[in-house]
Amino acid sequence: MAQLSSGIEIAAADVRLGGRLVLEGLALWLTEGRIGILGRNGSGKTTLLRLIAGLIAPDRGRVRVDGFDPFTDRRAAVAGLGILFQNPDHQILFPTVEEELAFGLAQQGLAQAEALAQANAALQSEERAHWAKEPVTSLSQGQRHYLCLLSVLLMAPRTILLDEPLAGLDLPTQARLARRFAALPQRLVTITHDPATVAGCDRVLWLEAGRIAADGPPDAVLPVFAAEMARIGASDADADLAG
């Protein structure tokens, strides 16, 4: 996949949460179209995603996405970045499907009537026009994931951040979402603990205890990661694992 002309810059960034150093001295320049961030629970990968999204600021260093600071320039962040959380219920705010889809467009400055019209047009194009007035609670887990993705795509961001996007879904739903992700023109940054999820990425970062343990193409990083996970798993001790 061709690299994009802009990128994500993280320069000497530290992040402390609750007095604990979660990310330390990260220095990254990410320009690839498909980027995977791989690591165990507690490795700092969700914190890194939140840092890129501008949901938190670094305690030291700086973050730029396509030239803007996502923490201080929220208007640019809303326009340029989309986030798909692991649990769609942490993302959905409104009672009906059309209201949920219209919300992001309204945040970008569209009048409510136009936002609703675009939401319904998107549902029509997806052959889901009958969803419009339905309560979000009537959708399955996979359908709510799909709704969140459609909401993000309506806002036309240049970069989409995916937090364990296939976790907890059945295999047919995983396959459908994976095909949709693969076809998207946007830069995708995917965080996961599952090597298979990032096997098709252009670049994979292995994050361990808040630092980059390996960085490169999947065929270079994933075997080393798998070997280390096997080594750790061979021991019954789990005292090193973060909560």
Side-chain angles (χ1 to χ4, degrees), residues 64-181:
R64 296 291 184 271
V65 178
D66 298 335
F68 67 85
D69 183 330
F71 184 76
T72 60
D73 191 346
R74 293 309 298 164
R75 182 182 295 273
V78 167
L81 285 165
I83 309 173
L84 197 65
F85 291 105
Q86 178 179 354
N87 186 341
D89 296 332
H90 293 167
Q91 189 160 351
I92 292 170
L93 299 174
F94 289 87
T96 68
V97 169
E98 66 174 1
E99 288 174 298
E100 182 62 30
L101 289 176
F103 173 65
L105 295 171
Q107 274 196 311
Q108 290 185 326
L110 265 64
Q112 183 68 11
E114 177 60 22
L116 285 169
Q118 289 196 23
N120 278 273
L123 288 170
Q124 181 74 37
S125 70
E126 298 280 331
E127 299 183 348
R128 288 170 172 80
H130 57 290
W131 281 18
K133 305 292 185 185
E134 290 297 315
V136 172
T137 53
S138 70
L139 303 181
S140 70
Q141 176 84 354
Q143 289 170 333
R144 292 198 299 277
H145 264 285
Y146 191 89
L147 171 62
C148 290
L149 175 59
L150 189 56
S151 179
V152 167
L153 294 180
L154 269 174
M155 298 172 71
R158 293 179 298 277
T159 298
I160 300 176
L161 310 175
L162 305 174
D163 181 4
E164 297 281 8
L166 304 180
L169 301 176
D170 60 31
L171 292 178
T173 302
Q174 286 185 18
R176 284 192 291 269
L177 278 176
R179 283 196 304 272
R180 188 64 182 267
F181 293 147

Side-chain angles (χ1 to χ4, degrees), residues 16-21:
R16 292 183 180 273
L17 298 175
R20 183 169 68 93
L21 190 60

